[in-house]
Amino acid sequence: MRLFWDEKQRAHRPAQEFFNGALHPAADRPERVDSILAALGGWEAPQERGETELLGALRAVHDPAYLSFLASAHAEWRAAGREGDALPYAFPIRRRPQELERIDARLGRYSYDTCTPVTEGTWDALLAGAATVLEALDAVLAGDHAFALTRPPGHHAGADYMGGYSYLNWAALAAVASGKRAAVLDLDYHHGNGTQDVLEGREGLSFASLHADPRTDYPFFWGHAEENGGNIRNWPLPRGTEADAYEAALDEACAWVAGRSPELLVVSFGADTWEGDPISHFRLKTEDYARLGQRLAALGLPTLVVMEGGYAVEALGANVAGFLSGFSLLHLGGAVAGSASR
């Protein structure tokens, strides 16, 4: 398993988010990265890729006008006399007009919640994330499994909207850029609504998700069982789900994925399924994650894992390391424990 990380992803440093009726310190803080970096060794930095190359890949997933918005949003916010991070407060209901002038209107046009601020360093971090994903994809296409440590997360981002701490969709980017028959399997606590939106109906691509029942949990308006059909399959699970029930659902998801005959597996992995996560309510334990990884490895597919959620910083590194250990022995804590390749 090859591991990829770009330090420039630290540039995204949101201070606050608004949810549940109040301002809170941002959950997606850079310390999440430190926990994972400390638990795993052998990291590789992606090669330098120009913005033109990165935008070319991103435009296969995201609307060009949305990408332009992300690149300029914080500068426009500051030019309007605002301080701090840019947050939306007004949202369209029935339609989303394209020609909008004020940054306040454009923030609402391209987002669906108030917990996804655009910071001074967001765009630079996003470009670094895209380079990390594409480098990891190259490694997988060359015959290795790979893990792209992506931050901020990606699976809530749609073709032309941000939300759920997500701005660009890493899993969709990898699936589309691969040029292969690809399946995305989302194992975050929250439904990957953006990935579903981007991939629904795309020939040769599939999306499956295990997640908290959206009748009780974010993102609420996507991921219900009745959305199943075509190349989309959802497994909503109740709060309090423990390992046995989660693994039974994962077995069903893996069987569905195998039935799609993919050539590539992309895993949106969120460790917010852990029992102590501060914003989630499943009850997986650290020792459960290796079994999940082993189940996916048993599919026998070239696999790219991208990082999504997981906000219990003290346990995050161990949970990620456990999951990845299911694919191969890793360099744990900087000590050589086995081979890095498939």
Side-chain angles (χ1 to χ4, degrees), residues 256-306:
W256 184 84
V257 166
R260 303 286 299 178
S261 300
E263 302 168 297
L264 171 73
L265 177 65
V266 179
V267 180
S268 279
F269 176 66
D272 48 1
T273 52
W274 184 63
E275 60 184 350
D277 193 89
I279 64 172
S280 305
H281 306 280
F282 284 170
R283 295 178 183 167
L284 299 190
K285 301 181 183 300
T286 297
E287 56 265 31
D288 297 329
Y289 286 105
R291 293 197 304 276
L292 304 186
Q294 290 166 357
R295 181 64 186 89
L296 299 187
L299 288 169
L301 295 168
T303 301
L304 168 60
V305 180
V306 298

Side-chain angles (χ1 to χ4, degrees), residues 97-119:
Q98 298 293 327
E99 299 299 327
L100 299 166
E101 295 183 4
R102 280 183 56 179
I103 182 58
D104 308 73
R106 299 180 72 228
L107 282 163
R109 160 67 178 84
Y110 289 117
S111 59
Y112 67 85
D113 68 21
T114 57
C115 56
T116 311
V118 180
T119 79

Side-chain angles (χ1 to χ4, degrees), residues 7-332:
E7 281 288 320
K8 292 190 288 295
Q9 291 181 96
R10 292 185 186 273
H12 176 70
R13 304 181 69 89
Q16 294 178 308
E17 60 185 84
F18 186 89
F19 75 99
N20 286 350
L23 279 170
H24 301 264
D28 179 27
R29 49 197 176 101
E31 289 79 6
R32 297 176 62 235
V33 169
D34 296 326
S35 179
I36 299 170
L37 293 177
L40 297 162
W43 295 95
E44 302 177 51
Q47 65 177 321
E48 290 293 327
R49 297 175 189 253
E51 187 166 341
T52 300
E53 177 186 354
L54 295 172
L55 287 173
L58 288 167
R59 284 175 183 140
V61 173
H62 293 286
D63 181 80
Y66 172 61
L67 296 172
S68 296
F69 159 77
L70 287 175
S72 65
H74 191 266
E76 292 181 46
W77 180 256
R78 295 301 298 271
R82 313 296 174 74
E83 296 181 355
D85 301 338
L87 271 173
Y89 64 87
F91 304 90
I93 297 298
R94 291 184 173 84
R95 65 187 184 92
R96 297 194 291 175
Q98 298 293 327
E99 299 299 327
L100 299 166
E101 295 183 4
R102 280 183 56 179
I103 182 58
D104 308 73
R106 299 180 72 228
L107 282 163
R109 160 67 178 84
Y110 289 117
S111 59
Y112 67 85
D113 68 21
T114 57
C115 56
T116 311
V118 180
T119 79
E120 183 176 9
T122 297
W123 182 242
D124 289 339
L126 292 173
L127 290 178
T132 301
V133 170
L134 294 174
E135 192 79 7
L137 177 62
D138 285 347
V140 173
L141 296 178
D144 292 317
H145 291 322
F147 171 56
L149 177 48
T150 39
R151 179 192 171 272
H155 70 150
H156 294 303
D160 65 349
Y161 60 80
M162 60 188 187
Y165 314 153
S166 302
Y167 307 80
L168 298 179
N169 196 301
W170 310 127
L173 172 63
V176 173
S178 72
K180 303 287 187 181
R181 287 184 57 84
V184 176
L185 179 55
D186 194 309
L187 301 183
D188 188 274
Y189 179 80
H190 305 94
H191 179 251
N193 56 293
T195 313
Q196 177 171 304
D197 274 1
V198 171
L199 298 186
E200 189 167 14
R202 287 212 184 195
E203 185 175 356
L205 302 178
S206 307
F207 174 74
S209 177
L210 278 63
H211 53 271
D213 193 327
R215 292 178 298 177
T216 59
D217 282 87
Y218 185 95
F220 304 116
F221 310 111
W222 298 271
H224 298 266
E226 59 266 26
E227 294 169 35
N228 294 337
N231 66 335
I232 302 298
R233 185 69 163 84
N234 287 298
W235 279 264
L237 301 170
R239 287 188 174 196
T241 292
E242 297 183 349
D244 287 349
Y246 192 89
E247 290 179 44
L250 180 59
D251 284 344
E252 293 181 16
C254 286
W256 184 84
V257 166
R260 303 286 299 178
S261 300
E263 302 168 297
L264 171 73
L265 177 65
V266 179
V267 180
S268 279
F269 176 66
D272 48 1
T273 52
W274 184 63
E275 60 184 350
D277 193 89
I279 64 172
S280 305
H281 306 280
F282 284 170
R283 295 178 183 167
L284 299 190
K285 301 181 183 300
T286 297
E287 56 265 31
D288 297 329
Y289 286 105
R291 293 197 304 276
L292 304 186
Q294 290 166 357
R295 181 64 186 89
L296 299 187
L299 288 169
L301 295 168
T303 301
L304 168 60
V305 180
V306 298
M307 191 69 208
E308 301 289 358
Y311 305 99
V313 173
E314 73 282 358
L316 184 56
N319 292 337
V320 173
F323 179 74
L324 297 180
S325 73
F327 291 89
S328 61
L329 294 174
L330 301 172
H331 299 72
L332 299 179

